[in-house]
Amino acid sequence: MQVMPHADEFIERDGFIADPLAELNAGQYGVLHKYKSRVLVILRGGCAINCRYCFRRHFPYADHHFGPAELEQLIELIQNDANINEVILSGGDPLMATDKQLDQLLTRLEQLPQLKRIRIHSRLPVVLPSRLTQELAHRLAASPLQAILVLHINHPQEISPALKQGLALWADAGITLLNQSVLLAQINADADVLTELCEALFAARVLPYYLHQLDQVAGASHFAVSDEVARALLHQLQVNLPGFLVPKLVREIAGEPSKTPL
Ligand SMILES: *Cc1c(COP(=O)(O)O)cnc(C)c1O
Ligand code: SF4
C-alpha cells in the first residue's frame, strides 16, 4: 500500500494540490528556512522508497542539487542569522549521501560555533538497515554537535531484526533516536497498530516524536484520515501507552512558524 501505485491516485479531491507546503518557491538552493532556530537542507533528491503519499512527490529535486556552491550559501545563511542553532538534513533522503560526503559536510558545519545540533531525517534504514554503519555513527558521536537521527517508520512490521540491530549500533554510539510517522488510512490509522508501533519503536530504542496528519498532496487523498478520527486515535494512544511513548499529533501548515498540534 505504501509503495505500489494504485488507481486511487487518480482521484482528484479539493484541497489536494501539487505543493501543499508552498515549498516550490521557498528554497532557492536546496535549503528551507521556515522555522526560527533550524534550517533544513535538501541534501539528496533521491530516496530509497517512493512513498505514494510523499508530500514532495511533485518536488523538482533536479533543480535542487546541493553541491559545494550551495554549501557555501548555507554557511553564509547560518552565519548571518544568530538564531539558527540546528541543521536538519532531509531530502529525498540524506542517507543517500555517502559517509564521506556526510563527513565533509559535518566538518564544515562544526566550524560554526552557533550550531548545537545536527539532525538527520531518514526512511532509508527501513529498507536498507545496513546503511546504519558503525563508521557513520561514530563520526556523528565524535562531533561537538549533538546528533539526532529521526527515523520515518509507519508500521511495526517495518522494524525488522536487521533494523533493530542497526539501531542498537547507533544507540550504543550515543546517537539520539526519534521517529516520525504519517497517519495513513488502511496502513496505520488504527489504535492497536499505532500502539504496537510505539512499543516496537521503544523496544528498538527509538522514541516516538511526531505523528503527522497527511500533507494534502495531489494523488494521496485515499490515505487521508479526518482530524476527528486522528484525535480519537491519539486519545486511545494516551490510554494505552506511557506518556513518553505518545507521539505529538501535528500538521504542517504552510506559513506557520512551527508544526501545528491538533
Ligand atoms: C518539520 C520541519 C522542521 C523541523 O521541525 P521540528 O518541529 O523541529 O521537528 C524544520 N524545517 C522544516 C522546513 C520543516 O518542515
Ligand atoms: S522516504 Fe520520505 S521523502 Fe522519500 S518518498 Fe518516502 S515520504 Fe517521500
Side-chain angles (χ1 to χ4, degrees), residues 167-237:
L167 293 170
L169 268 184
W170 278 47
D172 285 344
I175 311 297
T176 299
L177 302 177
L178 305 175
N179 184 68
Q180 58 172 358
S181 306
V182 181
L183 189 56
L184 297 165
Q186 305 178 73
I187 292 167
N188 64 9
D190 176 285
D192 290 340
V193 170
L194 288 173
T195 301
E196 202 191 320
L197 172 62
C198 294
E199 290 281 3
L201 285 168
F202 192 63
R205 304 170 67 180
V206 181
L207 278 174
Y209 174 33
Y210 277 144
L211 178 60
H212 286 271
Q213 261 296 38
L214 183 77
D215 295 315
Q216 302 204 337
V217 68
S221 66
H222 56 297
F223 289 118
V225 175
S226 72
D227 284 358
E228 208 183 346
V229 170
R231 286 196 191 95
L233 285 168
L234 180 69
H235 182 74
Q236 194 56 48
L237 290 187

Side-chain angles (χ1 to χ4, degrees), residues 32 34-35 38 40 88 119 209-210 252 259:
L32 296 173
K34 295 204 287 200
Y35 299 161
R38 42 246 194 263
L40 185 146
I88 301 173
R119 195 188 326 170
Y209 174 33
Y210 277 144
E252 194 170 343
K259 307 277 190 260

Side-chain angles (χ1 to χ4, degrees), residues 16-254:
F16 285 75
I17 56 176
D19 179 24
L21 304 183
E23 288 183 340
L24 293 189
N25 301 314
Q28 311 88 330
Y29 50 92
V31 170
L32 296 173
H33 185 207
K34 295 204 287 200
Y35 299 161
K36 189 176 168 193
S37 66
R38 42 246 194 263
V39 60
L40 185 146
V41 179
I42 297 185
L43 189 65
R44 272 293 175 285
C47 253
I49 316 178
N50 285 314
C51 306
R52 305 313 301 173
Y53 54 83
C54 181
F55 69 99
R56 292 203 181 111
R57 57 186 280 165
H58 306 287
F59 193 81
Y61 281 123
D63 304 345
H64 286 251
H65 173 72
F66 193 84
E70 287 74 18
L71 174 59
E72 292 318 310
Q73 282 178 283
L74 170 68
I75 304 270
E76 204 180 300
L77 173 89
I78 296 170
Q79 283 177 326
N80 286 331
D81 186 345
N83 291 316
I84 298 173
N85 62 20
E86 178 171 351
V87 171
I88 301 173
L89 306 183
S90 182
D93 201 307
L95 290 184
M96 295 286 281
T98 63
D99 284 2
K100 189 167 164 223
Q101 289 164 332
L102 291 167
D103 171 51
Q104 286 169 349
L105 175 61
L106 269 171
T107 301
R108 277 301 262 133
L109 295 177
E110 284 163 354
Q111 291 160 8
L112 304 174
Q114 75 196 74
L115 292 181
K116 295 179 178 162
R117 288 179 293 276
I118 178 91
R119 195 188 326 170
I120 298 177
H121 277 244
S122 179
R123 180 150 168 71
L124 202 147
V126 171
V127 288
L128 191 65
S130 59
R131 180 66 191 89
L132 293 175
T133 62
Q134 192 154 34
E135 190 181 37
L136 183 55
H138 286 161
R139 172 63 184 88
L140 288 164
S143 175
L145 302 172
Q146 281 190 291
I148 302 149
L149 174 65
V150 182
L151 294 133
H152 177 169
I153 300 171
N154 293 324
H155 193 283
Q157 283 174 16
E158 294 178 1
I159 305 174
S160 63
L163 179 57
K164 265 183 112 162
Q165 227 171 13
L167 293 170
L169 268 184
W170 278 47
D172 285 344
I175 311 297
T176 299
L177 302 177
L178 305 175
N179 184 68
Q180 58 172 358
S181 306
V182 181
L183 189 56
L184 297 165
Q186 305 178 73
I187 292 167
N188 64 9
D190 176 285
D192 290 340
V193 170
L194 288 173
T195 301
E196 202 191 320
L197 172 62
C198 294
E199 290 281 3
L201 285 168
F202 192 63
R205 304 170 67 180
V206 181
L207 278 174
Y209 174 33
Y210 277 144
L211 178 60
H212 286 271
Q213 261 296 38
L214 183 77
D215 295 315
Q216 302 204 337
V217 68
S221 66
H222 56 297
F223 289 118
V225 175
S226 72
D227 284 358
E228 208 183 346
V229 170
R231 286 196 191 95
L233 285 168
L234 180 69
H235 182 74
Q236 194 56 48
L237 290 187
Q238 285 166 335
V239 172
N240 294 357
L241 292 163
F244 62 90
L245 291 187
V246 179
K248 296 172 213 271
L249 176 64
V250 295
R251 149 173 300 128
E252 194 170 343
I253 301 174

